[in-house]
Amino acid sequence: MSRVDRWLLPDGIEEVLPPEAAQIEHARRQLLDLFTSWGYELVITPHIEFLDSLLTGAGQDLELQTFKVTDPLSGRLMGLRADITPQVTRIDAHTLRREGPSRLCYVGSVLHSRPRALSTSRSPIQLGAELYGDANCASDLEVIGLMLATLQAMQVPNVHLELGHVGIYRALVQAAGLSGEVELQLFDALQRKDGDAVKALTQSVEPKLAAMLQALVGLCGGIDVLDKATEQLAGAPAAVQSALAALREVASLLAERFVGLPLYFDLGELRGYHYHTGMVFGAYVPGCGQAIAQGGRYDNIGADFGRARPATGFSTDLKTLVNLGQLPQVAEAGAVWAPAEQAQALWQAVMALRAEGARVIQALPGQSLGDARAAGCDRQLIEQAGRWQVVPLAN
C-alpha cells in the first residue's frame, strides 16, 4: 500500500472535523436534555455483541446491514451494531424488567455494511427514544410528538409527517388466508404501488377482501384518505377499524399541537413490516428521498428476550439533523493564553480559571503570542504585583 493510500477512508465512512464536530456535540447535548425533559432515561449500549442477540426480531434487512466478526475468546459470531433499537429492547425486557411504562433514549455511532441510499453515510450517529409497556395510541402520539419536537429543536424546515398502520394490511391478509410466498409477493407489490400485480395476486381471494387489499394501493394522500378508507374498508375485520380510529385520533391531536404541520397518510406503507405491528410514521423534507426520522410500534420484538412488552419508538441520524437544520454556528469562546512557565502560582491560577469554565491554553516552550492568536486566544495571563491577572491579548 502506498503512503497516500494510508489516508483513504472506505466509501461512506467519514471523519467529523472542527467546527462541525462541535456543532454535532452541541446538538447531542441539547437533544438529550430535551429527551430528559420528557422523562426519557439515557442508556449506553455496546458497539459489538453476539450476533444472535443483536439481530433478534430485527429481520433480514438488518442482518444484511451488519458487519460480522468472530470473537477470539468464545469463537462465537459477533456483530457491530447497525441499529441500537434491538439492544435497548433487550435492556428493557431482560436487564431492567420494570413493571409499567418505561421510557429510554440513546445516542451513538452505528455501522452499516452498505449505505441505505447512494448519498448516505455508513457511519451515522443514531439518536432515538423508545417507550415500553403501554399499548395505547397515547404512546404512539407521545413518541411522534417527541420526534417532531426533536426536529423543531434542530430547526429543520418544511417537515412533512407521513402516517400509516401495518395492522390494516396484517388483518386483511389474515382474513384472506394468505401466507408464505403469496403474502411476500403482495407485500412487494404494495411497496411498488403496482395495482395490476396486487389485483393478480388477490384473484383467488374472496371478492370483498380482494377489493379491500387492492384499495390499499390508492389509499394515500391527505386527511381525506381516512374518510375514503372508512368507506372502502367497511366490513373489514375489527382490527382494521381500530387502526383507522387510532390514526384519526392521533392525526387530530397532532393537528392541534403542531399547527400547520402537513400530514400525509399511506395505508399501504409497510416500512419495517417484518417487525412493526401497528402505527408507523416518518418525517420528510423536500429534497430528501428518504425519511429523516422514522419509527413505529413493534410490540413483539422483546419476545425472544423473554418479555414481549408493548413498544413504540423513533430514531434519526444526528449528523443529518445538523446538516439539515438552520441552527446558528456554535460560537467558540475566546481562550486565555498562559505563559510557558512551571511556577506553582501560575498552575493554580490556570486551574482556577478552568474551574470557572474558562478555556485556558498554556504555551509550550518556544511559542509566542502569534501562536496564541492562531489558537483563538483573546486574553492572556500575566503577572502583576506578584499576582497572575487576565488581561486582553497584547498586539
Side-chain angles (χ1 to χ4, degrees):
M1 179 182 289
S2 70
R3 183 167 298 180
V4 172
D5 290 338
R6 297 181 189 276
W7 303 105
L8 294 178
L9 290 173
D11 289 343
I13 305 296
E14 63 279 331
E15 299 164 321
V16 182
L17 306 178
E20 184 184 1
Q23 192 85 350
I24 290 174
E25 175 60 15
H26 180 75
R28 185 190 70 85
R29 297 180 188 183
Q30 181 181 351
L31 292 178
L32 287 180
D33 286 345
L34 172 67
F35 289 0
T36 298
S37 74
W38 282 57
Y40 287 75
E41 300 173 276
L42 178 66
V43 294
I44 300 175
T45 65
H47 283 82
I48 188 169
E49 58 177 280
F50 293 126
L51 200 63
D52 51 2
S53 173
L54 195 64
L55 299 183
T56 294
Q60 184 181 15
D61 291 345
L62 188 56
E63 182 175 3
L64 293 175
Q65 287 280 44
T66 302
F67 281 97
K68 303 172 182 67
V69 297
T70 301
D71 179 15
L73 294 182
S74 66
R76 294 175 60 184
L77 203 59
M78 302 181 76
L80 294 166
R81 66 184 186 192
D83 186 352
I84 299 177
T85 300
Q87 298 179 298
V88 181
T89 300
R90 183 192 65 242
I91 289 174
D92 173 76
H94 179 73
T95 311
L96 291 179
R97 299 192 62 82
R98 291 172 173 169
E99 297 298 330
S102 181
R103 294 170 171 86
L104 302 176
C105 65
Y106 59 85
V107 60
S109 297
V110 295
L111 192 63
H112 296 161
S113 61
R114 61 195 70 190
R116 295 190 185 277
L118 292 177
S119 60
T120 57
S121 169
R122 290 200 292 160
S123 57
I125 300 176
Q126 186 179 351
L127 171 103
E130 315 291 333
L131 200 167
Y132 300 96
D134 183 79
N136 295 302
C137 66
S139 296
D140 299 301
L141 177 65
E142 177 175 312
V143 168
I144 295 170
L146 179 54
M147 180 182 76
L148 293 172
T150 297
L151 300 180
Q152 285 184 338
M154 293 293 98
Q155 299 182 33
V156 178
N158 303 319
V159 173
H160 294 62
L161 180 67
E162 180 182 284
L163 292 170
H165 201 301
V166 300
I168 295 173
Y169 175 74
R170 287 184 183 278
L172 291 175
V173 164
Q174 183 177 7
L178 297 178
S179 60
E181 185 64 26
V182 175
E183 181 183 353
L184 291 176
Q185 291 176 357
L186 183 58
F187 165 83
D188 180 65
L190 277 172
Q191 297 317 285
R192 293 183 284 107
K193 303 293 185 188
D194 189 340
D196 291 338
V198 171
K199 188 174 183 178
L201 289 166
T202 55
Q203 282 184 339
S204 61
V205 177
E206 189 272 326
K208 285 187 178 180
L209 283 171
M212 293 178 190
L213 285 166
Q214 293 164 20
L216 294 181
V217 175
L219 287 174
C220 51
I223 189 69
D224 60 311
V225 164
L226 298 184
D227 294 329
K228 293 178 183 177
T230 300
E231 178 183 342
Q232 295 181 25
L233 302 181
V240 173
Q241 309 306 326
S242 177
L244 289 173
L247 282 171
R248 194 178 295 276
E249 179 181 353
V250 167
S252 176
L253 291 168
L254 286 173
E256 292 178 2
R257 298 177 184 183
F258 298 89
V259 178
L261 172 70
L263 290 176
Y264 182 85
F265 299 84
D266 189 346
L267 303 192
E269 170 57 61
L270 302 176
R271 179 182 60 249
Y273 172 69
H274 299 293
Y275 59 92
H276 279 143
T277 59
M279 199 172 298
V280 291
F281 43 88
Y284 294 82
V285 295
C288 291
Q290 291 191 319
I292 62 168
Q294 60 187 2
R297 178 164 289 279
Y298 52 102
D299 288 345
N300 298 326
I301 196 172
D304 289 335
F305 298 119
R307 202 168 181 230
R309 300 234 290 164
T312 182
F314 86 93
S315 64
T316 184
D317 173 25
L318 186 57
K319 290 192 225 176
T320 297
L321 296 191
V322 170
N323 289 333
L324 290 175
Q326 297 179 343
L327 296 170
Q329 290 294 318
V330 176
E332 186 173 325
V336 178
W337 184 258
E341 300 180 18
Q342 303 303 324
Q344 181 65 11
L346 173 59
W347 167 254
Q348 291 175 344
V350 167
M351 295 307 292
L353 287 169
R354 288 171 175 163
E356 293 170 1
R359 181 168 174 249
V360 182
I361 300 173
Q362 186 161 21
L364 297 172
Q367 287 194 297
S368 66
L369 289 183
D371 298 305
R373 295 186 189 91
C377 294
D378 57 3
R379 291 158 292 161
Q380 63 180 331
L381 258 178
I382 64 171
E383 189 175 15
Q384 291 180 333
R387 295 181 58 190
W388 288 97
Q389 304 285 337
V390 177
V391 300
L393 192 67
N395 293 325

